Amino acid sequence: MVAMADEFQLAGRSYGSRLIVGTGKYRDFAQTRAALAASGAEIVTVAVRRVNITDPSKENLLDYVDPKRYTILPNTAGCYTAEEAIRTARLAREAGIGNLVKLEVIGDQRTLFPDVPETIRAAETLVREGFAVLPYINDDPIAAKRLEDIGCAAVMPLAAPIGSGLGIRNPYNIRIILEQRRVPVIVDAGVGTASDAAVAMELGCDAVLMNSAIAGARDPILMAEAMRLAVAAGRKAFLAGRIARKLYATASSPLTELIE
């Protein structure tokens, strides 16, 4: 019997939702707010370098994303070196957003794959400075273990390249990361539709983070709702346990006491 409370634990806090959503690419802030509400997410990621969070004279995303309702997860999107990422994280903390940070250090403009050595270097500094670091990484079990050992609060392996919508390309690596982890594993990037999110959760991941899959949909609000349901369904299926895959059929009905 599955316990009624199945909360997601991250950096000392509990969350009912295992869907984390981004705030980029929406038509406007009003649509962002509506999509967030439909998603049921409780953690919202904000790109510090691309969103005004410091100038009160200009329109501010945080006017539409209530910090009392959502945990704001600033991210270092757009950074290509450890120094840039560290500086961006410090800026977010100075703006009063807190110590939680999604660490992105990109290694290449075309693929947007992470630069793992720079990510590790930035994580070492940020953890030492008291940040709860959530690093975006390849689906690499060695990198995940290294970042966990440094003291990161979670690891965030990609499902596929950012914005590609390809779904989980290598579930076997994700499974290895899950088998050896001691911190939450959050699939980040590459989710395209609801079934991709469900697969991530069925593998046993703790949460899924997405932006383009919702913001880029023909109807972002409807897709946000679909993702909410998919993440919940995938989690329940993981907890329930799938049947074994078999090559040959097994009858669903008893084969005894048949009508002669």
Side-chain angles (χ1 to χ4, degrees):
M1 177 105 179
V2 176
M4 292 300 291
D6 176 38
E7 295 187 325
F8 168 47
Q9 307 289 326
L10 180 66
R13 289 190 59 177
S14 299
Y15 299 92
S17 172
R18 293 171 180 270
L19 175 59
I20 303 172
V21 295
T23 51
K25 299 185 177 179
Y26 288 96
R27 184 185 62 222
D28 50 37
F29 286 158
Q31 187 184 63
T32 305
R33 178 169 54 192
L36 296 184
S39 75
E42 296 169 288
I43 305 175
V44 174
T45 183
V46 174
V48 178
R49 290 166 65 98
R50 295 171 182 157
V51 178
N52 167 38
I53 60 172
T54 57
D55 186 350
S57 67
K58 296 180 180 177
E59 190 175 34
N60 192 330
L61 174 64
L62 297 185
D63 293 336
Y64 295 82
V65 182
D66 184 358
K68 295 179 181 176
R69 177 175 177 180
Y70 300 102
T71 294
I72 306 299
L73 172 60
N75 73 62
T76 63
C79 294
Y80 284 82
T81 67
E83 285 72 21
E84 288 178 355
I86 293 166
R87 190 164 57 249
T88 302
R90 288 171 178 164
L91 176 65
R93 182 157 69 178
E94 289 167 6
I97 302 181
N99 288 339
L100 201 62
V101 62
K102 179 191 167 189
L103 175 60
E104 282 189 37
V105 185
I106 300 301
D108 172 63
Q109 284 191 341
R110 188 169 65 91
T111 63
L112 299 181
F113 282 141
D115 185 324
V116 173
E118 286 292 287
T119 300
I120 291 173
R121 205 156 65 84
E124 287 173 333
T125 298
L126 292 173
V127 168
R128 199 163 50 240
E129 293 183 2
F131 285 91
V133 180
L134 286 62
Y136 161 67
I137 56 172
N138 296 308
D139 53 358
D140 177 355
I142 305 302
K145 188 70 169 56
R146 179 80 176 97
L147 287 157
E148 183 180 283
D149 290 344
I150 288 171
C152 290
V155 291
M156 307 182 76
L158 56 78
I162 292 173
S164 68
L166 290 172
I168 294 183
R169 295 293 83 198
N170 194 336
Y172 305 102
N173 276 16
I174 299 291
R175 285 176 58 184
I176 295 172
I177 291 171
L178 287 165
E179 285 178 6
Q180 70 181 13
R181 60 78 178 273
R182 301 190 308 275
V183 297
V185 175
I186 303 167
V187 160
D188 177 16
V191 167
T193 191
S195 56
D196 298 333
V199 168
M201 298 309 298
E202 288 172 13
L203 285 170
C205 295
D206 297 276
V208 180
L209 190 155
M210 66 186 71
N211 188 162
S212 299
I214 295 176
R218 185 171 59 249
D219 185 336
I221 313 304
L222 189 59
M223 184 59 85
E225 183 182 5
M227 292 299 186
R228 173 174 59 80
L229 296 171
V231 167
R235 177 65 181 175
K236 289 180 184 296
F238 168 73
L239 293 173
R242 64 160 297 138
I243 64 170
R245 292 181 173 87
K246 299 175 184 176
L247 183 59
Y248 295 103
T250 302
S252 299
S253 302
L255 297 178
T256 58
E257 301 179 357
L258 300 177
I259 298 173
E260 296 295 338

